[in-house]
Amino acid sequence: MRSSHPPIVATWLLEHLRSDKENESLIGDLMEDYGRGRSNAWYWRQVLAAIVVSSCGEVRAHVVIAIKAMVTGWAAQFMLQFVAWGLLNRFHLWLPLHHMLLLFFGYGIAASVTWLILWTPIWIGSGWFVGGLYRSRLASMVLVFSASVLIWKLLRLPWTIHLLFNAAGNSRYLPELVVELMGLILPSVYIVLGGLLAGISKRDSSAQRAQIMT
Amino acid sequence: MRTRDYLGSFELMVMLALIRLGENAYGVPISREIEERSGREVALGSVYATLERLEEKGLVSSDLGEPTAERGGRAKRYFRVTAKGLREVRQTQVALKKLWRGLPQLEGGTV
């Protein structure tokens, strides 16, 4: 059954990922139209379209800044990767952790968990870094970085498809396919999450500033 | 020959919807008007992006209305076409009419 309130998460995303001056009026319009019987799917479609249209417009208007944001994101990712590997090697954590997981849960879980432990903070961190650095254009710059990572990851698509066929024929390849799919999709999602975190901390600090001013 | 930017097709649709709606032109009726006349779902985000662009060009102006409860306490933004905007629409209409004339492939069809 359809609720009388529009999806909260969608509205929240629109508030945080679209920064145009007309944002409040747009959200009000969407709520009003939703109240007249539009579906949840319609609301989500409208929200996602609004974010993409606004971000594309901003990227087109500020191409140089978008390129800088992409380069910054990739640099942050390499730096965080370097630090993470350095820490894991320094404290000899990586192999014992991987072996322990392998022993108790098998290859699939071990590979997935180690991937998540290593790459989750790296990708979220790089998204957060770009979001924090380009606060006035947070959504568009984080999305452009996320898109660049997705395009880069899609270069591995032939290998993913190859694994998909292998896994369809033999379940032994399933764990490898899961890790491959995680590596394909999750980095872009994590970057957006990191950007959202930067947006939340930005709003909090703005609220604190407003409180101090009063 | 004078060079100038003509209105894009979606910009023109938005401008025509604004002219048609008059005083009551804000996001919801604008998108409904375009949807009903074009038969396609319109993204409100695209309508707003277009309106912002038209406002920057000075073809449209806007004012904030009163916030209402059904909109979660958010105000409506009313848009209207400026004199410059009206001139631009007329010039686009003239140019399109000239281009339309004498095209047998486009005569007599319903869609």
Side-chain angles (χ1 to χ4, degrees):
Chain A
M1 205 178 113
R2 183 182 167 279
S3 154
S4 58
H5 296 288
I8 298 166
V9 179
T11 308
W12 187 85
L13 279 175
L14 193 54
E15 279 170 347
H16 286 81
L17 286 178
R18 192 180 184 273
S19 55
D20 297 30
K21 64 182 169 88
E22 320 279 14
N23 215 21
E24 285 291 294
S25 309
L26 169 64
I27 295 170
D29 283 347
L30 287 173
M31 283 183 164
E32 183 185 324
D33 220 0
Y34 179 86
R36 292 177 185 172
R38 300 278 201 176
S39 65
N40 285 340
W42 174 86
Y43 194 83
W44 269 105
R45 267 201 316 275
Q46 290 284 336
V47 165
L48 294 177
I51 293 167
V52 170
V53 166
S54 153
S55 300
C56 287
E58 208 158 55
V59 169
R60 266 200 305 271
H62 307 281
V63 177
V64 177
I65 298 175
I67 293 168
K68 277 186 194 170
M70 258 192 295
V71 173
T72 309
W74 279 102
Q77 186 266 331
F78 283 123
M79 196 181 67
L80 288 169
Q81 193 181 335
F82 182 75
V83 171
W85 274 115
L87 284 173
L88 287 168
N89 287 331
R90 171 77 180 79
F91 297 106
H92 307 290
L93 292 169
W94 189 246
L95 279 178
L97 174 76
H98 189 72
H99 284 156
M100 195 179 70
L101 288 165
L102 203 61
L103 191 67
F104 287 108
F105 302 106
Y107 173 76
I109 300 281
S112 309
V113 171
T114 46
W115 189 96
L116 286 170
I117 289 172
L118 178 66
W119 290 104
T120 301
I122 290 174
W123 288 115
I124 289 181
S126 55
W128 179 82
F129 193 73
V130 171
L133 213 58
Y134 296 90
R135 286 186 166 189
S136 58
R137 300 188 174 89
L138 185 143
S140 48
M141 297 308 136
V142 167
L143 287 177
V144 87
F145 171 44
S146 173
S148 77
V149 170
L150 184 66
I151 290 167
W152 174 251
K153 294 285 173 185
L154 283 175
L155 294 177
R156 282 178 64 88
L157 201 59
W159 174 245
T160 312
I161 293 167
H162 172 73
L163 275 177
L164 193 70
F165 279 112
N166 280 351
N170 187 340
S171 61
R172 194 163 59 90
Y173 292 101
L174 211 54
E176 206 177 334
L177 176 68
V178 170
V179 176
E180 180 67 21
L181 287 173
M182 281 165 63
L184 192 75
I185 300 159
L186 285 182
S188 300
V189 177
Y190 281 155
I191 289 167
V192 175
L193 269 177
L196 280 170
L197 285 175
I200 293 166
S201 52
K202 178 185 82 171
R203 298 239 159 171
D204 289 348
S205 51
S206 316
Q208 277 169 1
R209 266 201 306 279
Q211 216 168 18
I212 291 163
M213 295 286 278
T214 52
Chain B
M1 193 178 164
R2 196 163 64 105
T3 59
R4 55 187 295 278
D5 286 335
Y6 283 102
L7 291 168
S9 61
F10 195 66
E11 285 178 336
L12 186 60
M13 281 189 196
V14 171
M15 291 290 275
L16 292 172
L18 285 182
I19 295 168
R20 207 175 271 277
L21 289 163
E23 295 291 301
N24 193 35
Y26 67 97
V28 177
I30 297 170
S31 63
R32 289 263 163 133
E33 184 72 24
I34 299 171
E35 270 182 7
E36 278 167 20
R37 299 202 179 259
S38 69
R40 290 179 193 168
E41 186 175 300
V42 173
L44 258 165
S46 305
V47 172
Y48 268 90
T50 307
L51 285 166
E52 279 170 31
R53 207 166 47 241
L54 293 169
E55 202 168 5
E56 278 167 20
K57 289 181 191 172
L59 307 179
V60 160
S61 63
S62 71
D63 287 307
L64 270 183
E66 288 298 309
T68 58
E70 68 163 341
R71 300 167 56 84
R74 289 167 170 97
K76 289 174 186 171
R77 184 171 282 277
Y78 289 100
F79 295 89
R80 63 179 166 275
V81 176
T82 60
K84 186 184 173 192
L86 209 56
R87 236 181 3 255
E88 197 80 19
V89 172
R90 279 208 194 97
Q91 283 168 344
T92 307
Q93 184 192 27
V94 170
L96 286 175
K97 270 185 177 170
K98 281 180 189 167
L99 283 164
W100 225 261
R101 229 171 274 151
L103 293 174
Q105 299 95 318
L106 296 174
E107 279 168 15
T110 51
V111 178

